[in-house]
Amino acid sequence: MTTETIIVVDDHPVFRDGLSALIGRRLPLATVVASDTLEDALATARRGTKPPSMFLLDLFFSRHSIMETLPALRQEFRQSSIVIISMTDELATVDAAMACGINGFINKAVSPEAMIEAIEAVRNGDVVLLLPDGAGGKAEVKPVTLTDRQSAVLMLIAEGKSNKEIGIELGISPFTVRIHVSALFRSLGVASRAAAVAKGAAEGLLVTR
C-alpha cells in the first residue's frame, strides 16, 4: 500500500532517474514522481488528494535559480518537506535557501548512501545540511568554536525543541533559526540535529541551564 508521494524535480535526466531509483529501492512503499520542470511538478502535486510528503528539487533549471519561488512553495505546501539537491556549495546561497524555510540542502557531490540517509533524516523530522568536505573554501581543520547564538541553538536542539520552539525561546523567527541551524551544522561538520548533539557532547560544547 502506498504511504506517501515523493516528487523529484531535476532537469538532468541521468541524475533525476538515478535518484528516483535510489529512493524507490530504499522506500518501496512510496510513489516517486519525477519531473524535469518545477511547473509540471507543482501541477502534479496540486492534482493529488493530499500533498506530497517531500519535494526534492534542484536549485537551478537552465541556469535559472528557483530561490525566489521557495517561500511561496513553503507557504503552499506547509505539510511537505522541501529539500534542495544542488551542485552549488556557496555558503551564502545555502544559507539563503535554508532561510526560505526548507527542510534540507544536499550537495550532489556527496555519495548516494549519504544522500539517501539525509533524505530519510528529513522524513524523520530533521533539518539537514549536507555538503562535501572542503565546501565553501574550508581548507584546514580547526578546533570547533561556536558563537553564543550557535551555543544557545545547540542547547535547545539537545532539549528536543523544534525550530518554532527555539524561535520563541530566543525571540527570533523560525526562518532565522534555520540560518543559525545551518551555520551550526557547518561549524560542527555534521548534517543533522542528532549528529550535532552527539558532536557537541563529544567536543564539550553542550552547556546546561
Side-chain angles (χ1 to χ4, degrees):
M1 179 178 178
T2 297
T3 59
E4 62 182 305
T5 298
I6 297 174
I7 296 182
V8 178
V9 192
D10 197 294
D11 57 1
H12 293 83
V14 174
F15 179 83
R16 183 179 65 243
D17 294 346
L19 179 59
S20 298
L22 185 67
I23 295 170
R25 289 195 297 270
R26 183 64 68 95
L27 304 172
L29 295 181
T31 297
V32 182
V33 178
S35 177
D36 61 353
T37 70
L38 182 58
E39 291 75 16
D40 286 348
L42 290 177
T44 298
R46 290 164 180 156
R47 284 196 300 267
T49 57
K50 63 179 182 178
S53 64
M54 182 179 294
F55 290 92
L56 300 171
L57 309 170
D58 197 355
L59 189 59
F60 295 95
F61 291 82
S62 300
R63 298 186 178 182
H64 175 68
S65 173
I66 65 167
M67 184 76 76
E68 293 182 355
T69 306
L70 292 179
L73 185 65
R74 174 74 288 162
Q75 184 72 16
E76 181 177 358
F77 295 94
R78 292 175 176 268
Q79 300 177 27
S80 304
S81 296
I82 300 172
V83 179
I84 294 295
I85 304 183
S86 172
M87 280 303 299
T88 186
D89 59 5
E90 185 181 47
L91 299 185
T93 301
V94 174
D95 283 345
M98 296 298 288
C100 293
I102 66 172
N103 303 84
F105 196 109
I106 303 171
N107 188 273
K108 287 183 177 181
V110 303
S111 70
E113 184 62 26
M115 189 174 292
I116 195 65
E117 287 179 359
I119 290 169
E120 288 192 313
V122 171
R123 288 178 74 249
N124 292 329
D126 245 336
V127 175
V128 170
L129 174 63
L130 188 59
L131 302 178
D133 293 339
K138 188 176 180 180
E140 57 181 320
V141 177
K142 299 179 179 179
V144 176
T145 58
L146 302 179
T147 65
D148 290 343
R149 181 65 88 189
Q150 288 171 356
S151 294
V153 169
L154 177 61
M155 178 186 69
L156 295 169
I157 288 175
E159 293 177 0
K161 293 187 182 297
S162 66
N163 281 0
K164 182 178 179 180
E165 291 169 330
I166 292 172
I168 293 171
E169 182 88 13
L170 299 179
I172 57 180
S173 73
F175 288 168
T176 302
V177 173
R178 287 182 182 275
I179 294 175
H180 290 305
V181 169
S182 65
L184 174 65
F185 286 178
R186 288 203 310 272
S187 295
L188 295 175
V190 299
S192 70
R193 296 163 87 94
V197 172
K199 181 68 174 290
E203 297 284 344
L205 298 171
L206 280 175
V207 294
T208 58
R209 56 173 180 167

